[in-house]
Amino acid sequence: MSTQQTGFAFLPPSVATASIRGGSARFPVRRIFCVGRNYAAHVKEMGGDAARETPIFFTKPADAIVRDGGDVPYPPATRELHHEVELVIALGGEGHDLTPQDAERLIWGWAVGVDLTRRDLQNAAKKAGAPWDTAKAFDASAPLGPITRRADLLQPKGRITLTVNGDTRQDADLSDMIWSPDEIVAEASKLWTLSRGDLIFTGTPEGVGPLNRGEKVHCRIEGLEPLDFTVV
């Protein structure tokens, strides 16, 4: 199809998608929001105060998604690529300025994800009071496992783990989250009008650490499909 037929100066890029557990349909990704400092032990290991404060949000581009089983290229401009395993919320509704009770109705499903971070760039940004975009929003920075429909699992509970080459790095319980999924969606809706296709990474527990080329990462949350990838 020519550009004259489409009305565009050039053909638009394809929509980023995620797989859905138990079917061939795909979940179209609109935006990716991420929450920082949502597990007290992780806040402390990063040198912060674990008091319950308003969630810190940052974003990644939709095409940062890496589907389960896909290789993750080691990113440029860093010597400290870190893993952060997280519960991911997939939204299937629209709303703004919601209560936690209303926000719950927007949740379509759940997945295991990893917020990959260029830690050295993040630390430099913190010292300079600068945004985290270069540390968080780079290519292939959001590996994501298959999404489990909320109709099949009302809400995940239990352990969240990440191993590297079989060695356990992160091992915690979802009950350790400072902000619940419903509360996170509600807080995000005060800042943006949320819509179908939005993903929210809900924060990582303690144990974050470096990844190197050739290492194999395995992530699990009870009740959800696991996530596996290799850093290349």
Side-chain angles (χ1 to χ4, degrees), residues 30-48:
R30 179 172 179 259
R31 293 180 297 188
I32 301 174
F33 301 102
C34 304
V35 176
R37 302 179 182 178
N38 198 32
Y39 288 79
H42 173 58
V43 175
K44 291 176 181 178
E45 79 173 344
M46 299 303 290

Side-chain angles (χ1 to χ4, degrees), residues 36-52 160 169-173 175-179 203-208:
R37 302 179 182 178
N38 198 32
Y39 288 79
H42 173 58
V43 175
K44 291 176 181 178
E45 79 173 344
M46 299 303 290
D49 184 349
R52 192 175 196 262
I160 174 172
R169 297 277 190 88
Q170 294 183 265
D171 189 350
D173 195 281
S175 63
D176 297 333
M177 289 200 298
I178 297 170
W179 293 86
T204 194
E206 72 274 18
V208 301

Side-chain angles (χ1 to χ4, degrees), residues 14-18 27-30 62-65 67:
S14 58
V15 175
T17 65
F27 184 90
V29 179
R30 179 172 179 259
D63 62 4
I65 289 291
R67 299 173 189 172

Side-chain angles (χ1 to χ4, degrees), residues 11-153:
L11 294 179
S14 58
V15 175
T17 65
S19 60
I20 298 172
R21 183 180 190 174
S24 58
R26 302 198 63 80
F27 184 90
V29 179
R30 179 172 179 259
R31 293 180 297 188
I32 301 174
F33 301 102
C34 304
V35 176
R37 302 179 182 178
N38 198 32
Y39 288 79
H42 173 58
V43 175
K44 291 176 181 178
E45 79 173 344
M46 299 303 290
D49 184 349
R52 192 175 196 262
E53 299 176 348
T54 302
I56 295 173
F57 287 96
F58 56 93
T59 63
K60 293 176 182 279
D63 62 4
I65 289 291
V66 180
R67 299 173 189 172
D68 179 48
D71 290 339
V72 172
Y74 196 96
T78 184
R79 295 183 179 180
E80 292 183 63
L81 176 66
H82 278 205
H83 57 76
E84 299 188 8
V85 64
E86 312 200 3
L87 171 66
V88 180
I89 301 168
L91 299 185
E94 186 173 295
H96 69 279
D97 199 17
L98 303 169
T99 65
Q101 293 73 27
D102 291 333
E104 179 184 12
R105 301 189 188 102
L106 269 63
I107 299 176
W108 190 88
W110 320 90
V112 182
V114 173
D115 166 22
L116 292 175
T117 303
R118 292 193 276 207
R119 190 71 70 201
D120 44 0
L121 299 190
Q122 184 187 34
N123 290 336
K126 287 180 178 179
K127 290 179 181 179
W132 292 4
D133 297 64
T134 58
K136 293 285 193 177
F138 53 92
D139 297 340
S141 61
L144 187 74
I147 296 172
T148 296
R149 296 174 176 85
R150 189 167 180 268
D152 297 326
L153 181 64

